Amino acid sequence: MLMKKSSTDWNKWHQDLAKVLQNTDQTNGLTVLLYALENLVDASSGLVTKYVTGEKPEITHQRLLASESKQLQISNYSSGAYLLDPFYRKAFDDKAEGAFSIKMVAPNGFEDSEYFNLFYKRLGFSDEICLLIQLNDSEVASISLVRHVAMARFSQQDINKLNTIFPLIKSIMLKSVSYTHLRAHETKA
């Protein structure tokens, strides 16, 4: 098993964060944010997903490995499998916010489920952390960070790091959603 980095490169994190904040194009800014978060906790890939009550999820940003199936990971998920996602359930059933590992949110017997086989075993995930952000009463953003089988699982220290910076990440996501709504309104006008 490959070992993860032993210490956080806060200098790199701050440089990446500056790129996010300098970006006026929110699409680019969130791509840089996803990359920065992956670097911060040594994740191998990630997704940003927006959930709106009563609608299919929208995967707005992705950084998948070449070996990851976009069809399996995105299309199948968005077609209805998301309803079984323990992170989705945590966000909507408990109105939870913050960084959570799959171990923290999965129900008993999760590793025997079809969902686990399809989205963890088949894709080669060893662990996942999601940052759940309540955008408003009906919208949730999720930033999913994954490690693959050859990598160590996420530590409590990784979760603590993400929870420490969570208020900043939430602020960036709220700004992004606000920008997206404004742009959509301008396009209609």
Side-chain angles (χ1 to χ4, degrees), residues 50 97 133-137 139-141 170 173-174 177:
K50 181 180 165 191
E97 278 197 314
I133 302 139
Q134 299 289 330
L135 301 172
N136 57 46
D137 290 341
E139 294 178 305
V140 174
K170 181 175 180 176
M173 294 303 292
L174 287 168
V177 167

Side-chain angles (χ1 to χ4, degrees), residues 114-133:
E114 183 63 28
Y115 185 91
F116 178 85
N117 286 328
L118 187 60
F119 289 100
Y120 284 80
K121 227 177 192 177
R122 197 161 163 202
L123 290 168
F125 294 173
S126 69
D127 205 1
E128 180 179 16
I129 290 179
C130 275
L131 287 93
L132 301 175
I133 302 139

Side-chain angles (χ1 to χ4, degrees), residues 70-88:
K70 188 174 181 177
Q71 170 68 30
L72 178 61
Q73 192 164 353
I74 296 174
S75 299
N76 289 357
Y77 183 83
S78 297
S79 295
Y82 70 92
L83 295 168
L84 302 174
D85 182 346
F87 293 112
Y88 175 84

Side-chain angles (χ1 to χ4, degrees), residues 157-170:
Q157 183 181 3
D158 293 322
I159 296 165
N160 293 346
K161 253 189 259 184
L162 292 170
N163 277 322
T164 297
I165 63 169
F166 182 79
L168 176 64
I169 303 308
K170 181 175 180 176

Side-chain angles (χ1 to χ4, degrees), residues 34-91:
L34 185 56
Y35 176 76
L37 290 168
E38 288 172 6
N39 281 332
L40 187 66
V41 295
D42 198 26
S44 50
S45 64
L47 297 170
V48 177
T49 307
K50 181 180 165 191
Y51 300 99
V52 177
T53 303
E55 297 179 17
K56 290 183 177 184
E58 177 188 357
I59 296 173
T60 62
H61 298 78
Q62 61 183 350
R63 288 185 31 86
L64 304 179
L65 296 178
S67 62
E68 291 180 281
S69 166
K70 188 174 181 177
Q71 170 68 30
L72 178 61
Q73 192 164 353
I74 296 174
S75 299
N76 289 357
Y77 183 83
S78 297
S79 295
Y82 70 92
L83 295 168
L84 302 174
D85 182 346
F87 293 112
Y88 175 84
R89 302 272 33 114
K90 184 80 172 164

